[in-house]
């Protein structure tokens, strides 16, 4: 029997009904949950609304805040994580932050005595109104806000209950995935809650925690982030009779990993296909990795090769066309053949990121590769590569440039020149989010550092003599950029230009403007008199004595001398 | 001439935000595009703008002549020098 959201608290269940359990097995009852909802309701009504961001690792607290907001007719906004960039992006459509948001969290009076029973009637809710706002994982770009109505959430509950409700009955739902996205939230919290099954009050961080919970029959909500790396040392036979079924979603689970899970846990492994927009769509046995079977109540069709979904978790009256390319068989089951939106435009040319990935992946040096469009670097293509042992040996031996050139050589026939990867990052592990997905938001920051200036912003350079002649002196006027890479951590709160950077720039500009080709020998007479701060206008004077190979430099602003020194080069001429 | 070539190499690296490469790695006579340094049509446009800004030289985007100038660092240096005179 599935109840509908929002629950008409407090009479939906018997007061002693077990809603959740803590890690030590102790129960949390329906009346306990109702008390927490009252607690939050009394405090949330004092906060500005209507959109309130919610993040709480404790599932009861999280769901109490969400229910409290529903009772106040407000809308929970649920970011996938609490990274600054994520929160900055949602600030515009959020009135305040409640829960575990660090300094952004609204002040909540935690000490207040139990609020007097404050029976707030549920407001009359139109099932088509927005229940909550979540965000897409941003596999291919910036996360997008998705509004979920009560009708859509209930639609998904019915789909899950119809397919698995009977056998899930009586199990404790455990999860290694966060309840802050559109897999964890329905699977870990909402579905168990409305079907009257208890859930664990916190996410499992280590699968070893399964041992502590082995007295309960359980359903495990997980992802390849955990299932790909089952701990060898765990006493698997001890947990074997407890886990009934394991759900995996978020990223593809390899048949080998699925086989290993199924053997060790002696549980059925079910892989779920879905997305934030569609909710759960289909399932399959990942050990055999056959076609996807739509959930009863969901139908699919192909729209110009793209998978289109009709589901009560979206809207029964229309088809939602995804960006997943598919092949549908006569029985209505389907296979996924790639992402349509991984086609990007570079200089007006359509480029398939997937095609570049598979071409690079064929090279014996490449173990894993992810290709992305770098908006922050003039929309060039970046490649994040995990090298094989052979590749690492080549990197050590021949250097980054040679590796990049060799890898590019294999792409020349199949990839447009403008779409060849311009920037390479060689990593020991692919960055993934907590759902085990490697998305653009994990990859793009790898290329950020280099976007920050390493050199000053030049105002003018004055050299005596005729152009084309090699001058012995130069005056470089510049401004120290605020976002200069070298100011990071030097020092927190009081950025100053490091002395070693001053020496480096003097050498750099002597090579650029004085044609200095000498090999560095030593420093002489280094003197730092006054710090240089970002934003300052500075003049760097350079003078090269070609006979002695000595470069004299000084940094000054107006009459004030900041620093000076001499660098000695060998074979300066 | 050598100084100008060095300057142009640095300009190419800075303008196009090339990584893993120093002026020493660029041969003045090697082709800038396709084989060689591996620059492409977007780079050509950017580089043209940077050259016009730094040396006030004029380029005709379509002319075969321009293609010649962009063939190598040496050719670019010759162009810059000739326009200065």
């Amino acid at each position: 029997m599935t109840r509908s959201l929002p629950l008409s608290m407090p009479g939906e269940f018997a007061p002693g009904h077990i809603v959740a359990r803590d890690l030590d097995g102790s129960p949390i009852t329906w009346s306990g949950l109702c008390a927490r909802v009252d607690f939050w309701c009394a405090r949330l009504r004092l906060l500005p609304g209507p959109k309130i961001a919610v993040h709480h690792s404790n599932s009861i607290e999280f769901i109490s805040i969400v229910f409290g907001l529903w009772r106040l007719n407000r809308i929970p906004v649920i970011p996938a994580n609490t990274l600054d960039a994520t929160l900055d992006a949602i600030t515009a459509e959020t009135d305040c932050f409640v829960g575990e948001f660090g300094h952004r969290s609204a002040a909540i009076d935690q000490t207040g005595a139990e609020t007097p029973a404050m029976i707030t009637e549920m407001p009359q809710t139109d099932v088509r109104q927005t229940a909550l706002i979540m965000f897409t994982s941003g596999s291919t770009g910036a996360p997008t806000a998705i509004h979920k109505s009560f009708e859509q959430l209930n639609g998904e509950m019915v789909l899950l209950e119809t397919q698995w409700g009977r056998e899930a009955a009586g199990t404790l739902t455990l999860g290694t995935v966060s309840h802050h996205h559109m897999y964890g939230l329905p699977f870990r919290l909402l579905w168990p809650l409305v079907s009257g099954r208890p859930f664990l009050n916190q996410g499992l961080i280590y699968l070893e925690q399964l041992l502590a919970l082995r007295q309960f029959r359980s359903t495990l909500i997980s992802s390849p982030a955990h299932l790909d790396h089952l701990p060898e040392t765990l006493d698997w036979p001890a947990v074997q009779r407890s886990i009934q079924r394991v759900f995996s979603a978020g990223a593809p689970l390899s048949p080998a990993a699925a086989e290993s899970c199924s053997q060790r846990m002696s549980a059925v492994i079910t892989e779920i296909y879905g997305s934030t927009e569609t909710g759960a769509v289909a399932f399959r046995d990942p050990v055999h990795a056959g076609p996807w079977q739509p959930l009863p109540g969901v139908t699919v069709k192909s729209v110009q090769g793209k998978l289109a979904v009709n589901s009560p978790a979206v809207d029964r009256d229309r088809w939602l066309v995804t960006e997943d390319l598919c092949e549908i068989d006569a029985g209505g089951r389907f296979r996924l053949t790639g992402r349509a939106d991984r086609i990007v435009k570079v200089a007006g040319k359509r480029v398939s990121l997937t095609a570049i990935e598979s071409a690079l992946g064929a090279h014996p040096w490449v173990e894993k590769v992810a290709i992305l469009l770098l908006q922050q670097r003039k929309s060039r293509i970046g490649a994040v590569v995990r090298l094989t042992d052979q590749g690492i040996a080549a990197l050590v031996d021949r250097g980054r440039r040679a590796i990049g050139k060799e890898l590019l050589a294999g792409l020349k026939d199949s990839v447009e020149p403008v779409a060849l990867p311009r920037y390479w990052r060689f990593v020991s592990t692919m960055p993934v989010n907590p759902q085990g997905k490697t998305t653009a938001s994990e990859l793009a920051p790898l290329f950020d550092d280099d976007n920050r200036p390493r050199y000053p912003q030049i105002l003018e350079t004055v050299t005596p003599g005729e152009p084309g002649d090699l001058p012995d002196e130069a005056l470089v006027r510049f401004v120290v950029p605020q976002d200069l890479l070298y100011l990071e951590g030097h020092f927190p709160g009081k950025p100053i230009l490091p002395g070693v950077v001053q020496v480096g720039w003097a050498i750099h500009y002597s090579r650029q403007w004085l044609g200095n080709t000498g090999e560095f020998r030593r420093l002489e007479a280094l003197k730092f008199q006054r710090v240089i701060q970002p934003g300052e206008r500075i003049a760097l004077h350079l003078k090269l004595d070609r006979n002695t190979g000595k470069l004299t430099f000084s940094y000054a602003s107006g009459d004030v001398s900041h620093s000076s020194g001499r660098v000695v080069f060998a074979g300066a001429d | 001439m050598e100084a100008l070539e060095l300057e142009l190499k640095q300009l190419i690296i800075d303008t196009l935000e090339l990584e893993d490469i120093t002026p020493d790695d660029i041969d003045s006579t090697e082709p800038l595009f396709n084989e060689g340094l591996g620059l492409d049509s977007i780079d050509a446009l950017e580089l043209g703008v940077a050259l016009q800004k730094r040396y006030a030289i004029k380029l005709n985007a379509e002319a075969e002549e321009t293609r010649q100038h962009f063939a190598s660092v040496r050719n670019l240096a010759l162009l810059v020098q000739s326009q200065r005179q």
Side-chain angles (χ1 to χ4, degrees):
Chain A
M1 173 66 207
T2 303
R3 289 157 188 82
S4 302
L5 292 171
L7 301 176
S8 56
M9 311 193 64
E12 196 88 24
F13 292 97
H17 167 73
I18 295 173
V19 174
R21 288 187 185 277
D22 279 321
L23 197 52
D24 64 5
S26 56
I28 296 154
T29 61
W30 178 248
S31 61
L33 171 62
C34 291
R36 290 311 292 165
V37 177
D38 282 345
F39 170 93
W40 280 109
C41 224
R43 284 150 183 85
L44 292 169
R45 65 170 42 191
L46 306 174
L47 300 176
K51 291 181 184 165
I52 297 187
V54 187
H55 191 96
H56 211 301
S57 54
N58 180 302
S59 300
I60 287 288
E61 290 303 288
F62 174 80
I63 208 72
S64 300
I65 297 169
V66 169
F67 283 4
L69 290 172
W70 285 347
R71 263 163 79 177
L72 296 168
N73 226 347
R74 293 181 176 189
I75 301 172
V77 176
I78 305 172
N81 56 54
T82 56
L83 297 175
D84 272 339
T86 309
L87 301 185
D88 287 347
I90 66 165
T91 298
E93 56 174 312
T94 303
D95 296 294
C96 72
F97 293 83
V98 173
E100 298 168 340
F101 286 107
H103 68 275
R104 294 181 203 242
S105 296
I108 297 293
D109 174 17
Q110 295 290 351
T111 60
E114 277 311 306
T115 0
M118 194 193 60
I119 308 299
T120 323
E121 286 300 313
M122 269 304 295
Q124 280 299 321
T125 308
D126 175 358
V127 290
R128 288 193 167 247
Q129 85 183 39
T130 298
L132 45 85
I133 298 173
M134 303 192 92
F135 297 86
T136 60
S137 64
S139 297
T140 45
T144 317
I146 303 291
H147 292 237
K148 288 281 171 189
S149 67
F150 289 106
E151 189 176 47
Q152 291 172 322
L153 292 177
N154 286 327
E156 176 151 7
M157 301 301 108
V158 173
L159 290 177
L160 302 182
E161 186 71 13
T162 306
Q163 178 62 30
W164 294 292
R166 189 176 303 181
E167 69 173 275
T171 63
L172 172 66
T173 298
L174 314 173
T176 63
V177 296
S178 153
H179 55 230
H180 293 104
H181 56 79
M182 201 57 207
Y183 163 51
L185 182 64
F187 276 76
R188 246 188 78 186
L189 297 190
L190 298 181
W191 175 33
L193 185 78
V194 297
S195 357
R197 289 181 282 114
F199 55 80
L200 193 73
N201 193 19
Q202 62 184 85
L204 295 179
I205 301 166
Y206 308 108
L207 284 173
E208 281 82 350
Q209 291 168 311
L210 289 172
L211 275 176
L213 297 158
R214 64 174 183 251
Q215 75 267 33
F216 301 106
R217 285 175 59 237
S218 57
T219 302
L220 177 62
I221 312 302
S222 193
S223 75
H226 276 83
L227 301 178
D228 271 349
H229 312 282
L230 290 186
E232 294 289 337
T233 50
L234 201 148
D235 181 7
W236 290 108
V239 298
Q240 271 189 353
R241 254 173 293 279
S242 59
I243 304 169
Q244 307 288 301
R245 184 183 290 271
V246 180
F247 287 102
S248 176
L253 182 67
S254 71
E259 175 88 51
S260 151
C261 288
S262 147
Q263 278 174 6
R264 289 188 171 165
M265 299 185 187
S266 152
V268 182
I269 318 287
T270 301
E271 194 175 13
I272 301 291
Y273 163 76
S275 66
T276 310
E277 294 94 324
T278 58
V281 171
F283 63 97
R284 70 172 178 183
D285 164 11
V287 176
H288 300 104
W292 294 97
Q293 172 69 52
L295 283 159
V298 175
T299 40
V300 297
K301 68 177 181 183
S302 166
V303 174
Q304 292 168 337
K306 296 178 182 176
L307 184 76
V309 177
N310 179 269
S311 162
V314 186
D315 184 347
R316 278 216 171 87
D317 298 331
R318 70 186 176 98
W319 290 87
L320 188 145
V321 183
T322 70
E323 291 299 315
D324 285 319
L325 301 174
C326 68
E327 283 165 8
I328 300 178
D329 67 24
R333 300 189 303 173
F334 60 92
R335 286 182 187 277
L336 298 172
T337 54
R339 290 283 291 182
D341 60 359
R342 301 215 66 218
I343 305 281
V344 297
K345 274 199 168 181
V346 182
K349 297 207 161 70
R350 283 166 60 85
V351 172
S352 162
L353 300 182
T354 311
I356 304 178
E357 277 168 8
S358 29
L360 271 177
H363 196 284
W365 290 351
V366 177
E367 178 144 329
K368 262 192 178 171
V369 56
I371 297 292
L372 69 161
L373 185 70
L374 300 170
Q375 305 286 1
Q376 77 270 40
R377 304 205 68 178
K378 302 178 186 168
S379 291
R380 287 293 189 164
I381 300 291
V384 180
V385 178
R386 196 173 90 198
L387 293 168
T388 57
D389 287 347
Q390 198 188 339
I392 292 167
L395 178 67
V396 172
D397 194 33
R398 298 163 56 180
R400 288 170 52 98
R401 179 149 191 252
I403 297 286
K405 267 196 142 173
E406 158 84 21
L407 293 177
L408 282 178
L411 300 178
K412 291 257 157 75
D413 293 338
S414 55
V415 180
E416 291 277 357
V418 290
L420 291 171
R422 166 61 53 94
Y423 301 110
W424 299 85
R425 293 294 176 270
F426 300 105
V427 296
S428 49
T429 48
M430 283 288 175
V432 293
N433 66 15
Q435 289 88 57
K437 254 186 198 170
T438 296
T439 72
S441 42
E442 277 70 47
L443 296 171
L446 295 176
F447 298 87
D448 274 351
D449 253 13
D450 305 82
N451 202 24
R452 288 160 58 183
R454 289 153 193 264
Y455 292 102
Q457 184 194 337
I458 303 292
L459 301 172
E460 64 166 347
T461 304
V462 186
T463 51
E466 291 300 309
D469 287 352
L470 220 46
D472 294 329
E473 267 186 81
L475 191 68
V476 186
R477 292 185 204 280
F478 65 86
V479 178
V480 181
Q482 306 281 354
D483 57 346
L484 187 77
L485 180 64
Y486 306 118
L487 296 174
E488 188 172 292
H490 192 278
F491 294 91
K494 191 179 188 308
I496 61 171
L497 185 64
V500 65
V501 176
Q502 296 179 33
V503 175
W505 285 356
I507 296 173
H508 173 78
Y509 289 111
S510 79
R511 298 202 187 287
Q512 181 172 340
W513 293 106
L514 310 182
N516 174 19
T517 54
E519 192 182 320
F520 175 85
R521 274 296 135 89
R522 63 180 181 278
L523 289 173
E524 283 182 359
L526 213 48
K527 204 155 71 174
F528 295 103
Q529 291 147 293
R530 195 161 169 272
V531 298
I532 298 177
Q533 292 172 313
E536 277 195 87
R537 281 168 174 258
I538 303 287
L540 164 63
H541 181 255
L542 296 169
K543 188 171 171 112
L544 182 66
D545 183 330
R546 290 181 203 277
N547 296 322
T548 58
K550 287 187 181 183
L551 171 73
T552 311
F553 72 86
S554 64
Y555 286 87
S557 49
D559 295 336
V560 181
S561 174
H562 289 278
S563 62
S564 59
R566 263 197 313 276
V567 191
V568 184
F569 295 90
D573 229 346
Chain B
M1 187 68 182
E2 202 177 303
L4 184 57
E5 285 177 3
L6 184 67
E7 196 178 304
L8 285 166
K9 290 174 187 174
Q10 193 63 52
L11 177 82
I12 291 169
I13 292 172
D14 292 347
T15 305
L16 306 179
E17 292 180 24
L18 301 183
E19 285 184 358
D20 310 324
I21 186 165
T22 66
D24 287 349
D25 297 323
I26 305 176
D27 186 327
S28 293
T29 56
E30 80 177 320
L32 290 177
F33 295 90
N34 304 320
E35 311 309 313
L37 198 56
L39 303 186
D40 58 39
S41 53
I42 308 177
D43 296 319
L45 285 173
E46 271 191 66
L47 200 52
V49 173
L51 286 167
Q52 293 183 26
K53 229 157 96 182
R54 170 86 68 99
Y55 303 106
I57 54 174
K58 291 187 177 55
L59 292 164
N60 182 344
E62 291 305 318
E64 174 59 30
E65 202 181 79
T66 306
R67 220 159 296 160
Q68 289 287 332
H69 294 317
F70 273 73
S72 67
V73 169
R74 177 135 314 154
N75 285 14
L76 275 180
L78 287 169
L79 171 73
V80 171
Q81 215 168 33
S82 70
Q83 298 228 356
R84 274 170 168 174
Q85 282 154 11

